[in-house]
Amino acid sequence: MTGASERPVAILAGSGELPGRLAAQLAVQGRAHRVLAFRGFCEPGLARRADERVDLLDVKGALACLERWNPAAVTLAGGLTRPSPAVLAGAFSAFRNREELAAIVTRGDDNLLRGAIDLLERHGHVVIGVRDLAPEILATTGTYGRLEPDAARLRSIALGLRVLEALSPYDVGQAVAVAGEQVLAVEGPEGTDAMLARVRPRRWWGGRRSASDGVLVKAPKLGQDLRVDLPAIGPRTVARAAKAGLAGIAVASRLTLVLNRPATVAAADRAGLFVVGIEADATEYAHV
Amino acid sequence: MTGASERPVAILAGSGELPGRLAAQLAVQGRAHRVLAFRGFCEPGLARRADERVDLLDVKGALACLERWNPAAVTLAGGLTRPSPAVLAGAFSAFRNREELAAIVTRGDDNLLRGAIDLLERHGHVVIGVRDLAPEILATTGTYGRLEPDAARLRSIALGLRVLEALSPYDVGQAVAVAGEQVLAVEGPEGTDAMLARVRPRRWWGGRRSASDGVLVKAPKLGQDLRVDLPAIGPRTVARAAKAGLAGIAVASRLTLVLNRPATVAAADRAGLFVVGIEADATEYAHV
């Protein structure tokens, strides 16, 4: 996807919008890059345009491709999380013994991705994150659209961040939904969309407030490797949050990705939701 | 439900099996008791046999009834949790101003129940819990049926208890599902049954293990008022856990209710699940 002679950045492209956004951002920057698409994960459009495609988690094929490309750096973009353990087992079995494998596949997301980074680094690659490659995609601090959270919603957001912080050591999820001082849902491996699907609109007393008292809060786990698996929002997140009856979305600024920010903000303004980036320090949410 | 002349125990009967079980247990003990059924919450069978019925959360009616009965103690049994805030508002509005009410209904479960206990105590009632009235219903320590958890499942159980402990200050839920070292789901206001419905069977590597690597773990929140809202399991919990592909159920012993233990154990043995009560101290899970 580039003709430059500098050593490229290799994008290992998983699911979702991020790999394509990242490639576009690197093109804007004029930075040499190549895309290796994981079949079955990578979006079909990008997979067709990609420089190479490998099967699901064909680690051997991916490493051979990277050897040919000799990239300056490798980045893992998009979802590679939660393939079935059987698929993972097939992919990893050439490299790890069964005990190591069992230890990896029965752990949470972080550990899977840490395993992938370890593998790449042991093969001599420099692994970097979207944060370094395309900081333009990171959430900024402050409100993004027309609306902003009031004091009560800011308190709900602070509660949500504390819950995520408390869960950090246990590798659970990166999102919660909170209304008032009540936690409506904690994200598990099902992901944010499925979590939002079970947050039903709630009416508060007197009928004077609408259902929209809740907030979706997203932040990475404390101490997680910020090169991979950053929480992300985009226009679809706004649509799902609106359908769940929430008032807005809060993300940890500099630690969350906002995919297609103009469309995200437009969707939020249309739906009457706020979107806000909260400075980590401001909520005692410290990160490595 | 009793002709004894001693001052009765008043059972405020919410949803689920517990109020009926508790009444039966008090009958076995020969202890005078009366049942006040909350319409729309209390199971129809018990509601018909109850001494009095009040509408949903007709706090005024409930208090008037208790004044007539002059009970030795009052116990809140079964689910009164999560009625719509509008219903709560109607019920409480006679007793609290709107600011107090808003503060209650926007908080989690614990706070609602604490509010109910406060209200009863301010009206001169002694509130006691199922633990004191019918300790026979409490989970004991050790395995209950034919099967027991192996070392790996005991590690998953310990992880689940740590997650519940970490979530305790945030009034989220009293159950998690864990497989290996991965948290599959965290219970929110949807309850254990709905949480189990989203835990799909997972196959592990090599296909040599069945889907049943996961464990349902239930324990009360650290520091919660143990007179109300104890986590509970019963035959239905076993059926749902089996359907979710889990290997077994672990509960914090002395802090969890086992409804209909013989049927629970029989269901577990039939489904090939273990049920185990874990001593709180043994997992550094200390309780008030």
Side-chain angles (χ1 to χ4, degrees):
Chain A
M1 301 182 82
T2 171
S5 60
E6 53 171 324
R7 287 172 71 195
V9 170
I11 301 175
L12 303 195
S15 63
E17 221 182 311
L18 178 61
R21 293 265 151 204
L22 179 59
Q25 213 70 49
L26 293 179
V28 168
Q29 295 172 10
R31 188 151 181 192
H33 60 283
R34 291 193 181 174
V35 175
L36 173 58
F38 286 109
R39 280 196 202 99
F41 288 87
C42 186
E43 304 225 317
L46 181 63
R48 275 192 298 275
R49 292 180 286 120
D51 299 279
E52 291 269 0
R53 285 152 293 274
V54 295
D55 275 328
L56 282 174
L57 284 177
D58 175 4
V59 177
K60 205 174 237 173
L63 287 171
C65 173
L66 291 177
E67 203 168 317
R68 290 195 301 277
W69 289 354
N70 188 27
V74 178
T75 190
L76 291 158
L80 289 178
T81 58
R82 302 165 205 122
S84 79
V87 167
L88 274 174
F92 276 88
S93 55
F95 297 92
R96 293 181 176 272
N97 68 36
R98 300 204 136 211
E99 284 68 34
E100 281 181 289
L101 179 64
I104 290 176
V105 300
T106 57
R107 301 183 77 157
D109 283 345
D110 263 5
N111 300 291
L112 269 181
L113 288 162
R114 270 203 291 277
I117 291 175
D118 281 354
L119 190 68
L120 288 165
E121 289 182 335
R122 279 191 285 116
H123 283 76
H125 295 291
V126 175
V127 179
I128 61 176
V130 176
R131 297 178 86 226
D132 296 311
L133 287 169
E136 309 91 323
I137 306 179
L138 289 175
T140 54
T141 301
T143 53
Y144 292 9
R146 196 168 39 82
L147 297 166
E148 54 186 44
D150 60 16
R153 274 97 182 234
L154 285 173
R155 282 194 297 274
S156 295
I157 293 166
L159 171 60
L161 290 171
R162 287 199 304 276
V163 171
L164 290 172
E165 184 176 342
L167 282 173
S168 285
Y170 308 107
D171 213 1
V172 178
Q174 300 176 314
V176 290
V178 180
E181 297 178 49
Q182 188 177 17
V183 177
L184 302 178
V186 176
E187 182 190 43
E190 75 279 11
T192 303
D193 286 355
M195 181 193 77
L196 288 175
R198 68 174 189 270
V199 176
R200 280 168 307 175
R202 300 166 75 89
R203 291 197 71 77
W204 299 101
W205 57 280
R208 293 195 305 177
R209 293 197 213 173
S210 75
S212 52
D213 245 33
V215 182
L216 170 66
V217 183
K218 297 197 75 164
K221 294 175 269 269
L222 283 180
Q224 84 168 57
D225 191 322
L226 295 173
R227 291 176 293 179
V228 287
D229 196 31
L230 289 187
I233 64 166
R236 192 181 63 184
T237 317
V238 172
R240 304 282 174 123
K243 202 172 166 195
L246 300 182
I249 299 172
V251 297
S253 61
R254 297 175 295 112
L255 302 168
T256 310
L257 305 173
V258 181
L259 302 170
N260 200 345
R261 177 161 169 156
T264 301
V265 173
D269 282 347
R270 249 192 336 266
L273 266 67
F274 65 79
V275 177
V276 64
I278 303 285
E279 185 83 44
D281 302 339
T283 55
E284 296 172 21
Y285 194 75
H287 275 270
V288 175
Chain B
M1 301 183 79
T2 172
S5 60
E6 55 174 322
R7 287 173 69 196
V9 169
I11 301 175
L12 303 194
S15 63
E17 219 182 312
L18 178 62
R21 292 266 153 206
L22 179 59
Q25 212 71 49
L26 293 180
V28 168
Q29 295 171 11
R31 188 151 181 190
H33 61 284
R34 291 192 181 177
V35 175
L36 173 58
F38 285 109
R39 279 196 203 98
F41 287 87
C42 186
E43 304 223 320
L46 182 62
R48 274 192 300 276
R49 291 180 287 122
D51 299 278
E52 290 269 358
R53 284 152 293 274
V54 295
D55 274 328
L56 284 173
L57 285 177
D58 175 4
V59 177
K60 206 174 239 172
L63 288 171
C65 174
L66 291 178
E67 204 168 318
R68 289 194 303 278
W69 289 354
N70 187 27
V74 178
T75 190
L76 291 157
L80 290 177
T81 58
R82 303 165 205 122
S84 80
V87 167
L88 275 174
F92 276 88
S93 56
F95 297 92
R96 294 179 176 271
N97 67 38
R98 299 204 137 211
E99 285 67 34
E100 280 182 290
L101 178 65
I104 292 176
V105 299
T106 58
R107 301 183 78 158
D109 284 345
D110 264 5
N111 300 289
L112 270 181
L113 288 162
R114 269 201 292 274
I117 291 175
D118 282 355
L119 189 68
L120 288 165
E121 289 182 336
R122 278 190 288 116
H123 283 76
H125 295 290
V126 175
V127 179
I128 61 174
V130 175
R131 298 178 84 228
D132 296 311
L133 287 169
E136 309 90 323
I137 306 180
L138 290 175
T140 54
T141 301
T143 52
Y144 292 9
R146 195 168 39 83
L147 298 165
E148 54 185 44
D150 60 16
R153 273 98 183 231
L154 285 172
R155 283 194 298 274
S156 296
I157 292 166
L159 172 59
L161 290 171
R162 287 199 304 275
V163 172
L164 290 172
E165 183 175 343
L167 282 173
S168 285
Y170 308 107
D171 213 1
V172 179
Q174 301 175 313
V176 290
V178 180
E181 296 179 48
Q182 188 178 16
V183 177
L184 301 178
V186 175
E187 182 190 41
E190 77 278 11
T192 304
D193 286 355
M195 181 193 79
L196 288 175
R198 67 175 191 272
V199 176
R200 281 169 307 176
R202 302 167 74 89
R203 290 196 70 77
W204 299 101
W205 58 279
R208 293 194 304 176
R209 293 199 213 171
S210 76
S212 51
D213 244 32
V215 181
L216 169 66
V217 184
K218 297 197 77 166
K221 295 176 267 271
L222 283 181
Q224 85 169 53
D225 191 322
L226 295 173
R227 290 176 295 179
V228 286
D229 196 32
L230 288 188
I233 64 167
R236 193 180 61 182
T237 318
V238 172
R240 304 282 175 125
K243 203 172 166 196
L246 300 182
I249 299 172
V251 298
S253 60
R254 296 176 295 114
L255 302 168
T256 310
L257 304 173
V258 181
L259 302 170
N260 199 345
R261 179 164 170 155
T264 301
V265 172
D269 281 347
R270 249 192 334 267
L273 267 65
F274 65 80
V275 177
V276 63
I278 303 285
E279 185 83 44
D281 302 339
T283 56
E284 295 171 21
Y285 194 74
H287 277 267
V288 176

